[in-house]
Amino acid sequence: MKFEKNIKIIIPEKIFFQLQECSRNASPNESCGLIFGDIQELKNEEGYQYIYSAKKFECIKSSKPSPVAFLMDNLEKFNEIFEEAAKKFNLRLISIFHSHPGSAMPSGVDSNYMRMLYDWGDLRFKHQIWTIIDGKKKKLNGFLFLKDGIIQIDVKIQK
Ligand SMILES: [Zn+2]
């Protein structure tokens, strides 16, 4: 898988702990949630750099608890969270988070969802980083679906 160092998500340690807690509480099932923040586009000699900065995390109860999949389909709850993030905190969705019991790489199902959201008309879900944590090793990876497929991006935990 291609690694793109010019796309980066910065996760403050406090949020990283919240992701771990969310994952722990759902175990042995997969946990999921939404990360809000902002996205900066910077230009340097090599071209563009995209920095996603995490500011707020919402752990969401999976609608279909399972150790191999997650489902966020409560649209009413979604809209409530989106509205609060936008109006109260002036933040946008930057990442869809979920956990795996023993890997931090996208599964086949994840890849299909990533493609689906990319193709879907709702701009709130386009260009979202998929963050996946390995619940055991506490390893966090980030992925993005672009027109040529999935790429891995840089994840930085900030102390
Ligand atoms: Zn997955």
Side-chain angles (χ1 to χ4, degrees):
M1 190 180 295
K2 189 182 171 235
F3 186 85
E4 178 54 68
K5 67 174 169 46
N6 284 315
I7 303 176
K8 185 185 293 201
I9 184 166
I10 298 174
I11 314 255
E13 205 172 38
K14 192 184 119 201
I15 292 183
F16 185 51
F17 291 144
Q18 291 171 354
L19 302 179
Q20 291 177 30
E21 194 192 349
C22 180
S23 153
R24 226 179 6 252
N25 290 342
S27 174
N29 294 321
E30 288 192 3
S31 64
C32 53
L34 300 173
I35 302 175
F36 293 87
D38 54 52
I39 305 172
Q40 270 182 290
E41 186 186 280
L42 305 172
K43 198 168 169 22
N44 59 19
E45 311 85 68
E46 295 168 51
Y48 285 98
Q49 214 187 3
Y50 295 91
I51 313 284
Y52 290 61
S53 300
K55 303 271 167 71
K56 195 173 182 296
F57 172 63
E58 291 276 349
C59 183
I60 293 172
K61 207 170 158 26
S62 177
S63 313
K64 215 192 234 172
S66 152
V68 291
F70 71 100
L71 183 66
M72 289 192 266
D73 66 353
N74 186 340
L75 273 182
E76 209 171 300
K77 173 88 184 151
F78 253 1
N79 286 328
E80 201 180 292
I81 294 173
F82 269 91
E83 205 154 300
E84 192 194 51
K87 290 213 176 110
K88 209 162 144 194
F89 302 101
N90 199 21
L91 300 174
R92 54 174 290 187
L93 179 66
I94 63 165
S95 175
I96 294 165
F97 163 83
H98 75 287
S99 62
H100 284 171
S103 139
M105 298 303 282
S107 65
V109 177
D110 294 337
S111 308
N112 288 341
Y113 271 117
M114 289 173 83
R115 176 181 295 275
M116 203 181 80
L117 287 180
Y118 180 84
D119 290 335
W120 198 27
D122 194 329
L123 285 176
R124 292 183 302 184
F125 293 104
K126 212 174 169 116
H127 302 307
Q128 298 307 329
I129 288 178
W130 277 53
T131 39
I132 304 177
I133 197 168
D134 175 335
K136 278 202 194 81
K137 291 187 198 134
K138 316 222 182 317
K139 166 110 186 92
L140 184 70
N141 283 338
F143 304 90
L144 195 60
F145 191 94
L146 296 174
K147 67 174 188 328
D148 299 325
I150 299 173
I151 57 165
Q152 188 167 0
I153 60 107
D154 198 12
V155 174
K156 189 161 167 36
I157 310 296
Q158 199 164 52
K159 296 211 171 181

